[in-house]
Amino acid sequence: MDSQKKFKPGFSCEFFPPKTEKGRASLAATIEELSKLGPGYFSCTYGAGGTTQEGTYETVRDIVARGFQAAPHITCIGSTRQKITNLLSSYQQLGINKIVALRGDLPEGSDTAGEFKYAHELVAFIRKQTGDHFHIEVAAYPEKHPEAVSLQQDIGNFKIKVDAGANAAITQYFFNRDAYFRFVDDCEASKIELPIVPGIMPITNYKQLMSFSQGCGAEIPRWILTRLEHFADDLSSIRAFGLEVVSELCAQLLAEGAPGLHFYTLNKSDSTVALWHNLGLTT
Ligand code: FAD
């Protein structure tokens, strides 16, 4: 973990683009609440293969209009160099200088891979087109990306992506702090030198958490599952337990030198605000 201690901790919050008027109003209220905490930036996800893409631009534009720093996610699978060039140019015009660059996953049934195969190609393309204009964040997987044959192979691929020009990484969420510490140590041994910020998923809803975790390969430890199953539909007990578990995880990560936290807010402010206060983070 020593290599991470030299980086100044940064705190950020992630949203997804709302699809309805009600969702937009709710996100506006969430941004208002979270902005009081003073995070470094707000990021907004981007659907691979055509979904929610306009929504990302609109959400990012709204965040900027409110006077906050926004980092759009960009996925490359199924896309073309021309489309990415246009997107980068529209974000430059908006004054954006931070981007989360990802491969994305093609929607089921879609077989159009487009002109990019992996995220490192997107990172290299952004650097080629825009030089040092963008600070580029990429994804990292302390518990291994689901498609990778082994963690070692995944770390080798992660290094290619970092060497293509990434400035920092945000991890997939995890509940096992040792997975993160070991991953960071392995990266250090592979001469990967950039901040690797833990992605933090609040625990608020058992079914939703199960479904997300199955999709992205994040492990929910058995002792957490057992308690969540016991709480069944008792949402307030799930929230209280989740807050305690995730606060403890975040505190341990920061105490050991993690260079900040990236909160997956799911467009709600309550859990992130509560975690922020429990951790005594200052603005
Ligand atoms: P890559 O880095 O390309 O890796 C994908 C897989 O390919 C890995 O298994 C890797 O080991 C392998 N690989 C990489 N390079 C090579 C190579 N040269 N040869 C062989 N194998 C290789 N998805 C969205 O659709 N929209 C979002 O906004 C979004 N935001 C995210 C934010 C964060 C912080 C994270 C952690 C994930 C996000 N995702 C998002 C999910 C992400 O798109 C998926 O996890 C996707 O499957 C992989 O994306 P990547 O950028 O990590 O891909």
Side-chain angles (χ1 to χ4, degrees):
M1 277 297 290
D2 283 350
S3 63
Q4 293 296 304
K5 290 181 183 155
K6 64 174 180 263
F7 301 115
K8 190 170 171 266
F11 298 88
S12 47
C13 299
E14 179 175 313
F15 305 128
F16 59 84
K19 290 200 179 103
T20 61
E21 211 38 65
K22 197 173 157 208
R24 275 186 278 281
S26 161
L27 180 58
T30 294
I31 294 172
E32 201 58 42
E33 282 308 304
L34 293 179
S35 64
K36 294 176 192 160
L37 305 175
Y41 67 93
F42 294 119
S43 84
C44 183
T45 63
Y46 186 78
T51 53
T52 75
Q53 300 192 342
E54 292 80 17
T56 303
Y57 181 82
E58 282 161 22
T59 305
V60 163
R61 197 185 49 199
D62 285 355
I63 294 170
V64 171
R66 286 164 196 277
F68 307 117
Q69 201 187 345
H73 295 208
I74 293 187
T75 59
C76 61
I77 197 94
S79 193
T80 61
R81 281 183 271 278
Q82 189 56 54
K83 277 190 197 160
I84 300 287
T85 301
N86 296 347
L87 201 53
L88 293 173
S89 146
S90 65
Y91 283 132
Q92 275 185 300
Q93 281 165 28
L94 210 53
I96 299 295
N97 54 21
K98 192 189 275 273
I99 267 180
V100 186
L102 304 136
R103 185 195 72 177
D105 297 301
L106 278 177
E108 241 170 79
S110 165
D111 58 0
T112 340
E115 295 176 5
F116 298 88
K117 202 165 172 202
Y118 297 112
H120 71 81
E121 296 165 20
L122 175 63
V123 173
F125 184 72
I126 297 174
R127 284 284 172 247
K128 185 166 162 265
Q129 294 294 101
T130 60
D132 286 338
H133 177 83
F134 290 108
H135 172 105
I136 305 179
E137 303 269 343
V138 291
Y141 302 86
E143 294 179 325
K144 188 179 87 60
H145 184 266
E147 287 166 28
V149 176
S150 69
L151 188 62
Q152 271 330 101
Q153 188 207 57
D154 208 22
I155 289 175
N157 291 332
F158 179 48
K159 183 168 167 56
I160 296 173
K161 185 162 64 174
V162 171
D163 291 347
N167 299 100
I170 304 168
T171 75
Q172 183 57 272
Y173 70 84
F174 56 89
F175 297 107
N176 183 348
R177 69 196 173 111
D178 290 336
Y180 172 78
F181 295 144
R182 291 233 168 217
F183 177 74
V184 166
D185 285 345
D186 287 351
C187 287
E188 201 176 319
S190 297
K191 305 262 178 298
I192 296 172
E193 290 170 9
L194 83 180
I196 302 175
V197 176
I200 301 299
M201 179 65 85
I203 300 177
T204 56
N205 181 314
Y206 173 60
K207 284 194 190 125
Q208 192 183 46
L209 185 67
M210 287 296 287
S211 134
F212 284 161
S213 302
Q214 271 156 15
C216 71
E219 188 204 6
I220 310 176
R222 194 175 164 80
W223 67 272
I224 295 183
L225 267 185
T226 310
R227 282 169 176 78
L228 292 178
E229 277 161 10
H230 169 74
F231 294 133
D233 292 330
D234 178 357
L235 284 186
S236 70
S237 295
I238 292 179
R239 279 165 192 273
F241 168 72
L243 182 60
E244 195 186 319
V245 169
V246 179
S247 296
E248 202 173 305
L249 171 68
C250 294
Q252 288 167 340
L253 292 168
L254 293 175
E256 292 293 326
L261 300 169
H262 178 80
F263 294 99
Y264 295 111
T265 70
L266 304 180
N267 289 10
K268 304 238 166 47
S269 61
D270 307 18
S271 300
T272 304
V273 169
L275 284 168
W276 201 282
H277 288 314
N278 279 359
L279 294 166
L281 301 178
T282 49
T283 58

